[in-house]
Amino acid sequence: MAKKKPRTPLPPRRVQAPQTRTGDSRTSSRTPSSGVPIGEIGARQRAILYGVAGSGILALVAVVLLVAFGAGGGSGSKAAIKAIRNAGGQFRTYPALPRTPHYATLTPKKAPSWNSFPPTSGRHYYQPLIFGIYTEAVPEIRAVHNLEHGAVILQYGDKVSQADVARITAWYQKDANAVLVAPLPKLGNKVALTAWTRWAETKGFNEKVANAFRNAFRYHAPEHFPKSYLEPGE
């Protein structure tokens, strides 16, 4: 029987991106139209969705209100934006784009149209990425789904120094819940941080900016999941 992976990944390992659950009872068949292996959202995530549905309209309304009023618009986010800009970083809030219908293929005939780079909202592939740290670029069409679940995503360009990549890894390991890290070559010497409708960018890695962004905007998204469902490997 395969050994259970640690909850927080060790320093970077060579992994293929995107990761997809395979070889267990939770993995579905291939999509007929594309032949791309696709898994399901996952037993835990489905359980949450079924639980919300089964709890009635009042519980659903409560979830909607929780998301609506906890969307990162208070004093905490204002302080974070100030900290990001004072540290020399850029920050923007983008209008939320329609989230559905979900794509059933990673390569739709009409490519997704997003309003930021990297994207911060919009239509996306129906299965999110597994949370963790990647050493290869990941499909943005999947990463947007993680944002919808409350993720913070840090991506770095191909001209970011190896010293900064090591610092990014150390930053990730300090608090990896609902965090996804991956390279994005087109960023060059920049590091981008994204959450749902939120975007920040710095030249190289700035830990102060990364902390401020993560603390202010993580978990603020249209779909609310408990933290235990957003851990590395989920």
Side-chain angles (χ1 to χ4, degrees):
M1 181 169 60
K3 293 182 179 180
K4 185 177 181 182
K5 295 191 299 183
R7 303 305 288 177
T8 302
L10 296 173
R13 300 173 303 185
R14 284 293 166 185
V15 296
Q16 292 185 344
Q19 298 179 6
T20 303
R21 290 187 178 94
T22 59
D24 63 32
S25 59
R26 295 178 295 176
T27 304
S28 68
S29 60
R30 295 173 179 265
T31 301
S33 61
S34 65
V36 178
I38 53 178
E40 55 187 271
I41 283 180
R44 284 189 175 183
Q45 293 173 340
R46 287 206 318 276
I48 284 292
L49 295 177
Y50 294 157
V52 170
S55 63
I57 298 299
L58 290 178
L60 181 59
V61 170
V63 171
V64 171
L65 290 175
L66 175 64
V67 172
F69 290 100
S75 59
S77 65
K78 292 178 181 178
I81 294 167
K82 182 178 180 180
I84 291 167
R85 289 175 173 160
N86 286 346
Q90 298 183 61
F91 177 86
R92 292 176 193 149
T93 297
Y94 288 90
L97 298 174
R99 300 182 284 131
T100 57
H102 288 168
Y103 291 107
T105 174
L106 293 172
T107 55
K109 290 182 179 180
K110 184 178 180 180
S113 179
W114 295 307
N115 57 6
S116 66
F117 177 77
T120 57
S121 68
R123 290 184 62 192
H124 48 269
Y125 186 58
Y126 88 98
Q127 183 192 26
L129 289 160
I130 294 172
F131 280 103
I133 185 166
Y134 291 76
T135 57
E136 297 177 13
V138 297
E140 299 298 330
I141 197 171
R142 290 187 71 180
V144 174
H145 200 151
N146 292 74
L147 297 179
E148 186 185 42
H149 290 182
V152 160
I153 300 177
L154 183 150
Q155 296 177 91
Y156 56 92
D158 58 3
K159 290 182 174 58
V160 171
S161 70
Q162 288 303 307
D164 269 356
V165 173
R167 292 173 61 217
I168 289 168
T169 300
W171 169 82
Y172 164 81
Q173 291 178 332
K174 291 175 185 176
D175 188 356
N177 188 266
V179 176
L180 195 151
V181 171
L184 181 56
K186 289 183 180 180
L187 286 171
N189 65 353
K190 304 292 181 60
V191 171
L193 288 145
T194 51
W196 189 257
T197 72
R198 309 289 183 152
W199 173 95
E201 186 177 86
T202 57
K203 183 178 180 181
F205 177 67
N206 186 308
E207 187 168 2
K208 184 175 181 180
V209 168
N211 284 334
F213 191 95
R214 179 174 58 189
N215 294 341
F217 304 116
R218 182 171 48 176
Y219 310 128
H220 298 297
E223 292 187 3
H224 180 74
F225 287 88
K227 295 178 182 179
S228 60
Y229 290 77
L230 306 174
E231 293 181 358
E234 295 295 333

